[in-house]
Amino acid sequence: MSERLVVIGSQWGDEGKGKITDYFACRADMVVRYQGGNNAGHTVAFDGNKYSLQSIPSGVFNPRTVNVMGNGMVVNPESVVAELQKLHDRGITDYQLYISDRAAMVMPWHSALDGAYESQKGGALIGTTKKGIGPTYSDKYARIGLRMGDLLEPEYFAERLRAALEVKNMELEMLGLPKYGFQEVYDRYMELAAILGPRICDTSALINEAIREPGKKILFEGAQGMMLCCDHGTYPFVTSSSPSSSGVCVGAGVAPKWVDNVLGVAKAYCTRVGSGPFPTELHDEIAHEIRERGHEYGTVTGRPRRVGWFDAVVARYTGMLAGIDNWALMLFDVLSGLDKIKICTAYECDGEVLTAPPSTISRLEKCKPVFIEMEGWKEDITGVRDFEELPEAAKAYVRKIEELTEIPVGIVSVGPDRTQTITLSESLRRF
Ligand code: IMP
């Protein structure tokens, strides 16, 4: 039987999943994306080069790895073609990539609607990436969306496009946005179909075949983070999919019994892009220092990320929901040089002590973090490869996170490169 590993973001996205996925993708036979779309920005660095991926799985740099964009994704064919072109321009031409015929397809009007919905929200802007992610998922569940497999049948695609345009043009007109003509969209999408068509197939069959094969290593690459989950996150300041390990089942067509090894990627501190409550957020000089040192600016939008201390309330909650077996503690080196480091252990809300996030934004906004303070360390740790060689204060910080979350730290990342990774977990070392 195969070995499987699910890598998920456990905070508000941007935890460093790109690096971790790439780290395991070097050894994986298959890498599967199962939710989200080009709202993700996965940064992968190796051999002194840095690449940014949006929709394409992080295994694309290894010619041996089969990369799958699963049915739970929203796929923008225009942006996939552009992303592939960028990789080609940088010499990445030898890869295997398949796209699910069941994946929802982002259409040109979706990003326009994303922007329009946002501007109608007045003060309560979600701060979406404006890639049309929410509107594409909405159309999928309203059952008026188009899917990648439709591109393989031009007559069927034309029929679905006509039906969608009837509804969407009415909506666009109501919102004062330009309408779309059938022919221009049809012609362009047929051009895109000519490029991507050979990659579109039933990917669930492909994945399940690999699952049954002895010795195969399959990596499921989550995008965004658990606190942006449409069900469990800080709703409505969330994305429109489920970045949890449970998303693998629906979004890749994999039975729950195969989801058995979950790695929760967490920054050693916290960041968030876009709006929404963020209990441990910092507004002082330390936030500025961490933002600059950690290059905390969005990969997709370039927006400065909001910065805060590690939130063990969030970590415990996401650890429980996603069944996290190990943490990958990222950007640990960024904390070097700070005198004191804080960890949030609980929230105080209207005189009550909470150990899990409340469901409403109104309550979460009132939550005050309860902090413990840990000693910082001054040493540069970017060259450390053995956990025991970390400064005592750094080791104590890692052990405290394990204690507070009751989940072991399986990986400590001390820099962006593949080599700057300390692996503590035996099972992760074996994968
Ligand atoms: P959407 O996914 O574009 O609809 O945006 C919804 C929320 O999720 C916004 O706050 C975005 O900033 C956030 N978001 C979406 N994708 C990512 C990501 O990959 N990293 C971090 N935040 C994200």
Side-chain angles (χ1 to χ4, degrees):
M1 200 46 76
S2 60
E3 264 187 79
R4 296 147 313 272
L5 177 65
V6 185
V7 172
I8 58 160
S10 65
Q11 296 158 332
W12 282 277
D14 310 314
E15 297 92 348
K17 292 178 300 292
K19 166 175 166 169
I20 288 301
T21 316
D22 169 65
Y23 181 70
F24 289 107
C26 309
R27 291 169 261 167
D29 297 287
M30 182 177 266
V31 179
V32 183
R33 274 278 307 265
Y34 58 91
Q35 43 78 227
N38 62 334
N39 49 347
H42 290 180
T43 309
V44 176
F46 60 91
D47 296 344
N49 293 312
K50 209 167 165 182
Y51 302 88
S52 167
L53 297 170
Q54 275 95 54
S55 296
I56 295 175
S58 299
V60 77
F61 304 102
N62 182 355
R64 204 178 57 80
T65 307
V66 175
N67 290 276
V68 178
M69 295 170 63
N71 58 280
M73 287 189 75
V74 286
V75 180
N76 184 333
E78 195 78 70
S79 104
V80 173
V81 167
E83 212 177 319
L84 288 175
Q85 187 56 51
K86 266 199 211 158
L87 288 173
H88 281 220
D89 293 346
R90 296 187 63 187
I92 311 293
T93 51
D94 190 10
Y95 52 81
Q96 302 181 60
L97 175 69
Y98 297 97
I99 305 171
S100 170
D101 49 11
R102 269 90 165 168
M105 184 155 59
V106 181
M107 302 303 290
W109 48 83
H110 286 132
S111 46
L113 288 173
D114 207 347
Y117 295 161
E118 278 282 75
S119 57
Q120 303 222 314
K121 290 193 187 103
L125 286 186
I126 291 172
T128 75
T129 57
K130 300 215 172 67
K131 303 284 181 187
I133 307 299
T136 309
Y137 275 119
S138 301
D139 281 358
K140 167 178 170 169
Y141 290 108
R143 289 147 297 172
I144 52 165
L146 287 99
R147 309 205 296 183
M148 289 303 288
D150 301 352
L151 292 177
L152 302 179
E153 294 179 46
E155 276 178 35
Y156 181 66
F157 173 70
E159 199 183 301
R160 297 286 303 160
L161 178 60
R162 275 202 185 88
L165 277 173
E166 228 170 88
V167 181
K168 290 289 134 182
N169 273 338
M170 270 197 310
E171 193 181 348
L172 290 164
E173 194 170 23
M174 258 170 26
L175 292 166
L177 294 168
K179 295 198 285 184
Y180 286 86
F182 169 84
Q183 205 59 47
E184 54 167 332
V185 181
Y186 179 85
D187 290 347
R188 180 60 191 149
Y189 273 63
M190 283 299 109
E191 280 169 17
L192 295 166
I195 304 168
L196 297 177
R199 302 186 186 280
I200 301 172
C201 64
D202 177 357
T203 52
S204 306
L206 211 64
I207 299 165
N208 280 282
E209 205 176 296
I211 286 177
R212 281 194 303 273
E213 265 190 63
K216 284 264 183 226
K217 291 182 174 172
I218 307 169
L219 192 62
F220 294 97
E221 176 181 13
Q224 289 85 48
M226 283 286 300
M227 292 311 282
L228 292 171
C229 173
C230 199
D231 281 81
H232 302 291
T234 48
Y235 190 88
F237 298 99
V238 292
T239 191
S240 303
S241 65
S242 176
S244 183
S245 51
S246 45
V248 170
C249 300
V250 177
V254 167
K257 65 180 169 184
W258 304 125
V259 180
D260 53 1
N261 188 7
V262 184
L263 180 60
V265 186
K267 267 181 190 160
Y269 46 95
C270 273
T271 61
R272 176 167 196 165
V273 244
S275 324
F278 181 7
T280 64
E281 185 168 11
L282 288 164
H283 297 282
D284 55 10
E285 192 46 41
I286 296 180
H288 176 73
E289 219 178 304
I290 294 178
R291 184 177 302 115
E292 292 312 308
R293 250 197 275 146
H295 310 291
E296 295 296 357
Y297 294 88
T299 341
V300 177
T301 57
R303 290 179 286 179
R305 294 179 186 142
R306 299 156 66 196
V307 173
W309 294 120
F310 187 87
D311 188 335
V313 176
V314 161
R316 268 196 306 265
Y317 178 67
T318 59
M320 170 188 79
L321 291 169
I324 292 173
D325 295 293
N326 282 285
W327 296 117
L329 200 61
M330 309 305 290
L331 290 115
F332 197 40
D333 53 300
V334 171
L335 295 182
S336 296
L338 296 176
D339 286 332
K340 302 275 179 199
I341 304 173
K342 291 184 184 178
I343 302 178
C344 167
T345 56
Y347 300 151
E348 213 184 85
C349 182
D350 293 332
E352 242 187 287
V353 175
L354 305 183
T355 52
S359 74
T360 60
I361 294 304
S362 68
R363 273 206 101 198
L364 191 54
E365 269 167 353
K366 282 195 235 158
C367 285
K368 300 266 174 294
V370 178
F371 285 121
I372 52 165
E373 200 172 68
M374 307 278 298
E375 286 303 317
W377 60 92
K378 298 279 173 234
E379 297 90 330
D380 174 6
I381 58 169
T382 54
V384 177
R385 297 294 175 268
D386 180 347
F387 184 76
E388 288 312 317
E389 281 167 21
L390 285 171
E392 285 307 317
K395 282 193 271 189
Y397 185 76
V398 172
R399 296 303 178 209
K400 183 53 83 180
I401 286 175
E402 291 183 320
E403 182 194 315
L404 290 169
T405 59
E406 296 178 32
I407 294 171
V409 171
I411 288 179
V412 177
S413 174
V414 291
D417 201 80
R418 273 177 188 171
T419 57
Q420 294 172 300
T421 311
I422 305 171
T423 308
L424 293 134
S425 146
E426 201 41 55
S427 73
L428 291 173
R429 211 175 278 146
R430 271 202 318 268
F431 185 87

